[in-house]
């Protein structure tokens, strides 16, 4: 379980990405039902560490603190080749003993220098994916996603996508209720659809889309109804073709994908907090029958509804 988290920093660390992992794992949210995490920031040498924001931080712990962690986070770091003494070996030991590592943004280059991306799918900020692939040819760079979970090695894309990766880990370890509590305290969406490509044109695919916001809110409140493109286009007073194009422009994904993810999220909550059968859950969230729910839930979450309920039911 996610009980002990350490953050690795050295000179040149980016303050925002460091703040992301500190906010995600280092804040006591037990009053919201979130398990407390034993949290620490570590450096190759305890003491002053310069950030790339023009100020320094004081770090109490050395690399030995990484040995206790279930998860080691690596925020955005300088991309230049080479690592401070002992860092590569420390990260390799973390993975060798079965713990996990999470990089945010250019922190993926630190993992690459340590040899932890070889043979693994990974990502980084969209501006640096080509460089990552060239520097580490054995890595399987996936440029279009918000994060990649390759088991022990999780890599987040640019800047705020680190929040998505952190919430993914909370959801994976403790379920959507806990992840949702963390997200609410951070004032972010519990889960975003789409990938990095959406940020070149527009932002978060939530219910605050520029012109489709009211429709998206209506969809979430009527998941058990017919929500095909034709039906939604009629409600939006658009042709199906125009609606599909506008939807992708404003959310970064297709209507079908967005609706499916909303239905899966609603199913998660019912599986966690109700005694409804899988068939009843499927009807409530608009999948129609248990077989369709199982298929879509397993595709999106990687486990069956029954397995999810056994793991996360209140």
């Amino acid at each position: 379980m996610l009980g002990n988290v350490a953050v690795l920093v050295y000179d040149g660390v980016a303050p925002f990405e460091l703040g992301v992992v500190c906010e995600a794992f280092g804040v006591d949210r037990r009053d919201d039902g979130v398990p407390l995490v034993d949290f620490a920031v570590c450096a190759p040498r305890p003491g002053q560490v310069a950030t790339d924001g023009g100020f320094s931080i004081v770090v109490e712990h050395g690399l030995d603190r990484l040995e206790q962690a279930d998860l080691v986070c690596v925020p955005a770091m300088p991309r230049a080749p080479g690592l401070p003494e002992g860092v590569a070996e420390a990260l390799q030991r973390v993975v060798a003993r079965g713990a996990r590592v999470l990089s945010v943004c250019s922190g993926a280059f630190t993992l690459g220098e340590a040899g932890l991306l070889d043979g693994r799918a990974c990502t980084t900020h969209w501006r640096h994916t080509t460089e990552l692939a060239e520097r580490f040819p054995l890595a399987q760079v996936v440029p279009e996603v918000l994060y990649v979970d390759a088991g022990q090695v999780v890599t987040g894309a640019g800047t705020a996508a680190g929040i998505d990766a952190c919430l993914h880990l909370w959801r994976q370890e403790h379920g959507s209720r806990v992840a949702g509590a963390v997200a609410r305290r951070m004032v972010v969406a519990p889960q975003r659809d789409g990938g990095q490509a959406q940020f070149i044109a527009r932002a978060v695919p939530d219910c605050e889309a520029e012109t489709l916001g009211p429709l998206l809110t209506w969809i979430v409140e009527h998941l058990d109804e017919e929500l095909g493109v034709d039906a939604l286009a009629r409600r939006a007073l658009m042709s199906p073709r125009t609606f599909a194009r506008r939807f992708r422009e404003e959310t970064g994904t297709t209507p079908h994908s967005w609706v499916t993810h909303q239905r899966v999220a609603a199913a998660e909550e019912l599986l966690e907090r109700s005694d409804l059968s899988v068939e009843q859950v499927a009807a409530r969230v608009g999948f129609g029958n248990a077989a369709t729910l199982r298929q879509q839930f397993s595709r999106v979450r990687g486990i069956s509804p029954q397995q999810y309920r056994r793991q996360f039911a209140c």
Side-chain angles (χ1 to χ4, degrees), residues 26-291:
V27 176
D28 185 349
R29 296 190 173 95
R30 284 176 290 181
D31 56 340
D32 287 324
V34 178
L36 181 65
V37 171
D38 188 352
F39 182 85
V41 178
C42 316
R45 289 177 300 280
Q48 186 168 288
V49 174
T51 74
D52 70 357
F55 61 90
S56 297
I57 58 175
V58 176
V59 179
E60 297 182 5
H61 300 278
L63 295 177
D64 57 321
R65 176 61 177 78
L66 303 184
E67 301 297 333
Q68 307 171 31
D70 306 314
L71 172 69
V72 172
C73 301
V74 183
M77 297 290 194
R79 304 193 313 280
L83 297 176
E85 183 179 355
V87 167
E89 295 80 5
L91 289 172
Q92 291 163 4
R93 288 194 296 271
V94 169
V95 174
R97 63 181 172 81
R100 305 179 82 181
V101 293
L102 162 68
S103 69
V104 179
C105 196
S106 60
F109 287 83
T110 299
L111 301 188
E113 288 286 329
L116 299 182
L117 300 184
D118 292 355
R120 289 186 169 100
C122 59
T123 195
T124 187
H125 193 290
W126 58 267
R127 294 185 65 179
H128 307 314
T129 51
T130 299
E131 180 186 355
L132 188 70
E134 292 173 349
R135 288 262 302 275
F136 308 108
L138 297 181
Q140 302 164 13
V141 179
V142 186
E144 68 274 10
V145 297
L146 294 175
Y147 59 84
V148 172
D149 184 344
Q152 284 185 260
V153 177
V154 181
T155 48
T159 311
I163 299 174
D164 298 281
C166 292
L167 292 175
H168 164 73
L169 292 174
W170 273 116
R171 186 182 306 107
Q172 191 176 65
E173 294 290 340
H174 294 287
S176 64
R177 184 187 64 81
V178 168
V182 176
R184 282 190 296 274
R185 285 284 292 270
M186 295 177 72
V187 197
V188 296
Q191 183 164 349
R192 297 191 290 173
D193 303 319
Q196 292 193 72
Q198 64 186 290
F199 300 106
I200 299 171
R202 205 188 175 281
V204 182
D206 56 19
C207 293
E208 297 180 359
E210 184 176 351
T211 59
L212 295 178
L215 176 64
L216 300 185
T217 299
W218 181 87
I219 291 173
V220 172
E221 295 171 351
H222 297 82
L223 291 173
D224 60 335
E225 298 188 20
E226 166 57 37
L227 299 176
V229 170
D230 289 345
L232 294 176
R234 285 194 300 271
R235 188 169 189 86
L237 303 179
M238 300 179 189
S239 70
R241 183 175 180 180
T242 299
F243 173 77
R245 183 180 70 252
R246 178 69 60 82
F247 197 98
R248 179 175 282 280
E249 289 173 352
E250 294 198 16
T251 69
T253 188
T254 65
H256 175 76
S257 177
W258 197 92
V259 169
T260 296
H261 279 79
Q262 296 302 319
R263 283 172 166 162
V264 168
E268 284 181 332
E269 184 172 353
L270 290 174
L271 290 168
E272 288 183 27
R273 306 180 70 84
S274 79
D275 295 324
L276 295 174
S277 69
V278 173
E279 191 74 41
Q280 290 171 317
V281 170
R284 288 278 187 96
V285 303
F287 280 127
N289 57 69

